[in-house]
Amino acid sequence: MDSDYGTARELSDLQKLRSHYQPELPPCLQGTTVSVEFGDVTTAADPLGAHTISRSFPHTYGQPIAHFLRASAKVPDAQIITDHPAVRVGVVFCGRQSPGGHNVIWGLLDALKVHNPKSTLLGFLGGSEGLFAQKTLEITDQILATYKNQGGYDLLGRTKDQIRTTEQVNASLKACTTLKLDALVIIGGVTSNTDAAQLAETFAERKCPTKVVGIPVTLNGDLKNQFVETNVGFDTICKVNSQLISNVCTDALSAEKYYYFIRLMGRKASHVALECTLQSHPNMVILAEEVASSKLTLFDITKQLCDAVQARGEQDKHHGVILLPEGLIESIPEVYALLQEIHGLIKVGVSADNISAQLSPWASALFEFLPPFIRKQLLLHPESDDSAQLSQIETEKLLAHLVEAEMNKRLKEGTYKGKKFNAICHFFGYQARGSLPSKFDCDYAYVLGHIGYHIIAAGLNGYMATVTNLKNPLNKWRCAAAPITAMLTVKRYGRGHGASNLGKPALHPATVDLKGKAYELLRQNATKFLMDDVYRNPGPLQFDGPGADAKPVTLCVEDQDYMGRIKKLQEYLDKVRSIVKPGCSPDVLKAALCAMTSVTDILSVMSSPSSGTTPF
């Protein structure tokens, strides 16, 4: 199998056309001279966890933000990096494949070669397993030729997304030392970048010269925080799925007799489901975050769906499209508790055939209530992070089954007088993962690859490449590097996957913000979507013309430019310093003191652990 990695692909005419597309770079990364400005040292967004994080990461916590600027930028403290010796860099795909991953490697290679043609980029074959085994492929422009702007991870392949155990960390250290790597670039999501942070700390502690760099690539869109606005692959996944959903909507409207239940990939968070809803306007979406927040039971969800079917039936509409995130099943309180019991029994060696007999009475009653196919799926061995195998649990069929039973009951009782309920179920998961990446993902990934090089050139360790202001044109993007430790939080309570990491600093999946603008937009349109069939078809993925430059709705409606605001704050502080100097009038000094006292008092209250603003 190793011999297949890096071999030239057989490309279609469209793939050939895409392979010739040259992604753009923002002005700050163009040319061979880039300057770097180091900002203030970072802190944890979670004040309660700051001590735990700083104690766990003594070598990499509290590092400054790095802003990359064009050489001509007039910033007093910016440094132009002039020394670009030949370096050896390793790159590894960790986690599930996401469209655009190959362009990260392309951007990294181009940046390496433009600054020193003698630099070497080694790709690890087969993901983290290839890293441990030191299986490499030297990446050249010729090898990359048929992988540029293409989907998948088949240039290098991937396996488990884990570099966590002592043996795995030691194997990584040995590989980087043996191969004399100046840097290791890890491409992945939440789990992979948590491991990257720990690996960077371990390398620093053991005085290994290899720098560790993280790149945010995950189709789930859940690696989001104040530094990271979206992830490579999320835009493509949502556009491809939205077209499929829209096609189904048109089919539903044409036949007028089926309800389509569509489950979408995305793990615990519902970002993909929310974005696809805002793009394609199906009749309903049930977000896992809504269910968890309101503690909705299986009965509550079934009733909500049945009431919607009945309301539409009263308007002589007997069709519809309903979206469900794959993480929904773990957000239902009683099902989650049942899963915890099942996983606990699996851990102690109880076989699947004997589990039902050892469940508590209430769990046993729920288990027996569920259809046989769901019972079988709930008994699957949990993932390495203790979550259920969400992609294998057919939540859409479970809810369709329960809704059908309830609607038949209402029909028999005479409380519902519409037509017989008919459901068709789909799971849109793997269909989009290998798609050609969107123009946005091609550009974004390529830019992140370039930033990865500049992080290495600046000698930084334990940093993630970041781009903010993404909703604006590419020439307005802000390129930076943020310490991964500044993104870590410490969970003190938890449910679902990740609960076993309580008390440990980690990057945790960002869930849909039920107070955010994207969710507010959904709620404003929920009734219209439900009753009026305002289906919207964005069409196939576009690379030119109308739609080619479209970006995720959830990215565009949020006002996220955190790094831009940090820069703006610095400008205000500098302005205060320039005005309030020895010799200024007493009135100016008095006004400054009064204003600053008020500001610091407010910020102290907001930043205190007891303020209630702490993220968990």
Side-chain angles (χ1 to χ4, degrees), residues 77 83 100 104 134 202 312 317 327 428-429 530 546 550:
D77 298 328
D83 187 24
V104 174
Q134 301 180 33
T202 303
R312 286 177 58 80
K317 293 181 177 180
F428 292 167
L530 175 62

Side-chain angles (χ1 to χ4, degrees), residues 174-224:
K174 183 179 179 182
C176 292
T177 303
T178 303
L179 296 170
K180 298 179 180 175
L181 296 184
D182 296 285
L184 174 65
V185 177
I186 294 176
I187 299 173
V190 171
T191 302
S192 304
N193 279 284
T194 296
D195 292 344
Q198 187 58 64
L199 204 59
E201 177 65 27
T202 303
F203 282 14
E205 179 186 345
R206 299 188 190 179
K207 295 183 169 49
C208 172
T210 306
K211 310 301 182 186
V212 180
V213 177
I215 309 288
V217 179
T218 170
L219 60 88
N220 302 324
D222 58 0
L223 203 176
K224 294 174 69 173

Side-chain angles (χ1 to χ4, degrees), residues 29-230:
L29 298 182
Q30 292 175 6
T32 57
T33 308
V34 173
S35 63
V36 58
E37 177 197 11
F38 291 102
D40 293 332
V41 297
T42 53
T43 185
D46 172 9
L48 280 174
H51 177 67
T52 302
I53 298 169
S54 63
R55 191 175 56 193
S56 301
F57 296 86
H59 298 87
T60 53
Y61 179 75
Q63 298 187 98
I65 292 289
H67 301 276
F68 296 107
L69 313 168
R70 61 178 111 189
S72 59
K74 295 179 180 179
V75 179
D77 298 328
Q79 307 166 20
I80 296 178
I81 301 173
T82 56
D83 187 24
H84 293 278
V87 291
R88 290 172 59 82
V89 177
V91 62
V92 59
F93 283 131
C94 287
R96 291 166 176 81
Q97 53 267 40
S98 190
H102 287 141
N103 274 35
V104 174
I105 295 178
W106 182 17
L108 178 59
L109 179 68
D110 276 4
L112 279 167
K113 294 298 185 181
V114 78
H115 288 93
N116 194 318
K118 294 182 180 179
S119 291
T120 302
L121 181 60
L122 297 177
F124 286 101
L125 303 177
S128 53
E129 295 291 341
L131 170 63
F132 307 148
Q134 301 180 33
K135 293 181 179 179
T136 64
L137 170 71
E138 181 173 350
I139 298 172
T140 63
D141 195 65
Q142 183 180 357
I143 285 175
L144 264 179
T146 58
Y147 292 88
K148 295 175 179 179
N149 302 310
Q150 307 297 314
Y153 277 5
D154 49 316
L155 170 66
L156 300 176
R158 55 155 284 246
T159 48
K160 296 177 182 177
D161 58 346
Q162 183 174 305
I163 310 173
R164 192 169 311 148
T165 66
T166 301
E167 292 77 11
Q168 291 169 340
V169 170
N170 287 339
S172 301
L173 178 65
K174 183 179 179 182
C176 292
T177 303
T178 303
L179 296 170
K180 298 179 180 175
L181 296 184
D182 296 285
L184 174 65
V185 177
I186 294 176
I187 299 173
V190 171
T191 302
S192 304
N193 279 284
T194 296
D195 292 344
Q198 187 58 64
L199 204 59
E201 177 65 27
T202 303
F203 282 14
E205 179 186 345
R206 299 188 190 179
K207 295 183 169 49
C208 172
T210 306
K211 310 301 182 186
V212 180
V213 177
I215 309 288
V217 179
T218 170
L219 60 88
N220 302 324
D222 58 0
L223 203 176
K224 294 174 69 173
N225 51 53
Q226 63 270 43
F227 304 105
V228 183
E229 294 181 354
T230 191

Side-chain angles (χ1 to χ4, degrees), residues 492-507:
R492 284 165 288 281
Y493 63 88
R495 64 191 303 278
H497 75 271
S500 62
N501 289 326
L502 297 186
K504 298 177 183 177
L507 273 165

Side-chain angles (χ1 to χ4, degrees), residues 518-591:
Y519 181 72
E520 181 183 343
L521 181 62
L522 173 66
R523 294 271 52 87
Q524 289 171 355
N525 290 281
T527 302
K528 181 170 70 174
F529 287 178
L530 175 62
M531 301 305 298
D532 296 346
D533 291 350
V534 288
Y535 303 140
R536 176 180 179 273
N537 196 328
L541 202 59
Q542 299 296 304
F543 302 111
D544 196 12
D549 294 315
K551 296 173 183 176
V553 177
T554 47
L555 173 67
C556 294
V557 299
E558 297 288 359
D559 189 16
Q560 292 178 298
D561 189 16
Y562 181 84
M563 299 295 278
R565 290 186 178 131
I566 289 286
K567 293 284 289 180
K568 180 63 70 175
L569 175 62
Q570 290 295 337
E571 290 172 9
Y572 278 122
L573 293 175
D574 290 341
K575 196 168 185 179
V576 169
R577 290 190 189 98
S578 69
I579 295 172
V580 185
K581 291 181 177 179
C584 69
S585 75
D587 288 342
V588 168
L589 178 59
K590 184 177 179 180

Side-chain angles (χ1 to χ4, degrees), residues 269-583:
S270 305
H271 298 293
V272 173
L274 174 59
E275 177 64 32
C276 289
T277 299
L278 295 175
Q279 287 195 29
S280 58
H281 303 178
N283 298 105
M284 280 186 75
V285 61
I286 298 179
L287 303 181
E289 291 82 354
E290 290 177 313
V291 171
S293 176
S294 301
K295 296 181 173 57
L296 299 179
T297 64
L298 202 53
F299 173 80
D300 294 330
I301 297 170
T302 303
K303 183 178 184 302
Q304 184 179 336
L305 289 168
C306 289
D307 289 347
V309 170
Q310 183 154 340
R312 286 177 58 80
E314 289 168 359
Q315 291 192 8
D316 201 29
K317 293 181 177 180
H318 303 286
H319 61 276
V321 178
I322 299 162
L323 303 189
L324 309 166
E326 67 177 356
L328 176 64
I329 193 74
E330 280 195 328
S331 297
I332 302 170
E334 69 273 29
V335 179
Y336 166 75
L338 171 60
L339 281 166
Q340 291 298 94
E341 280 203 29
I342 291 172
H343 293 169
L345 291 169
I346 290 174
K347 279 185 178 179
V348 296
V350 179
S351 67
D353 293 337
N354 297 323
I355 282 177
S356 60
Q358 298 193 36
L359 292 171
S360 63
W362 73 265
S364 179
L366 174 60
F367 188 74
E368 294 304 321
F369 164 77
L370 296 171
F373 68 91
I374 286 291
R375 293 203 295 263
K376 183 178 180 180
Q377 292 161 6
L378 294 182
L379 293 175
L380 293 172
H381 200 281
E383 304 270 18
S384 60
D385 62 359
D386 294 328
S387 66
Q389 291 196 38
L390 299 178
S391 63
Q392 303 302 314
I393 299 176
E394 297 172 307
T395 313
E396 72 282 12
K397 291 185 179 180
L398 169 63
L399 290 176
H401 170 84
L402 295 175
V403 170
E404 182 177 17
E406 174 61 21
M407 294 312 297
N408 287 341
K409 178 184 172 187
R410 293 184 185 189
L411 197 61
K412 187 175 181 180
E413 292 173 347
T415 55
Y416 169 63
K417 303 184 186 303
K419 293 181 180 178
K420 187 178 186 305
F421 175 83
N422 292 297
I424 297 176
C425 298
H426 295 287
F427 172 43
F428 292 167
Y430 303 97
Q431 297 93 327
R433 289 201 320 193
S435 170
L436 287 171
S438 66
K439 184 174 180 291
F440 173 77
D441 277 331
C442 287
D443 290 338
Y444 184 29
Y446 185 77
V447 169
L448 287 172
H450 269 261
I451 296 172
Y453 168 73
H454 291 294
I455 293 173
I456 297 165
L460 304 178
N461 180 38
Y463 276 70
M464 185 185 294
T466 68
V467 182
T468 56
N469 212 28
L470 283 167
K471 70 179 181 181
N472 288 308
L474 186 141
N475 62 1
K476 303 287 186 185
W477 288 4
R478 303 179 194 273
C479 300
I484 303 176
T485 53
M487 308 176 193
L488 304 180
T489 54
V490 181
K491 276 196 174 183
R492 284 165 288 281
Y493 63 88
R495 64 191 303 278
H497 75 271
S500 62
N501 289 326
L502 297 186
K504 298 177 183 177
L507 273 165
H508 292 103
T511 53
V512 169
D513 182 2
L514 298 183
K515 296 180 181 178
K517 292 183 180 180
Y519 181 72
E520 181 183 343
L521 181 62
L522 173 66
R523 294 271 52 87
Q524 289 171 355
N525 290 281
T527 302
K528 181 170 70 174
F529 287 178
L530 175 62
M531 301 305 298
D532 296 346
D533 291 350
V534 288
Y535 303 140
R536 176 180 179 273
N537 196 328
L541 202 59
Q542 299 296 304
F543 302 111
D544 196 12
D549 294 315
K551 296 173 183 176
V553 177
T554 47
L555 173 67
C556 294
V557 299
E558 297 288 359
D559 189 16
Q560 292 178 298
D561 189 16
Y562 181 84
M563 299 295 278
R565 290 186 178 131
I566 289 286
K567 293 284 289 180
K568 180 63 70 175
L569 175 62
Q570 290 295 337
E571 290 172 9
Y572 278 122
L573 293 175
D574 290 341
K575 196 168 185 179
V576 169
R577 290 190 189 98
S578 69
I579 295 172
V580 185
K581 291 181 177 179

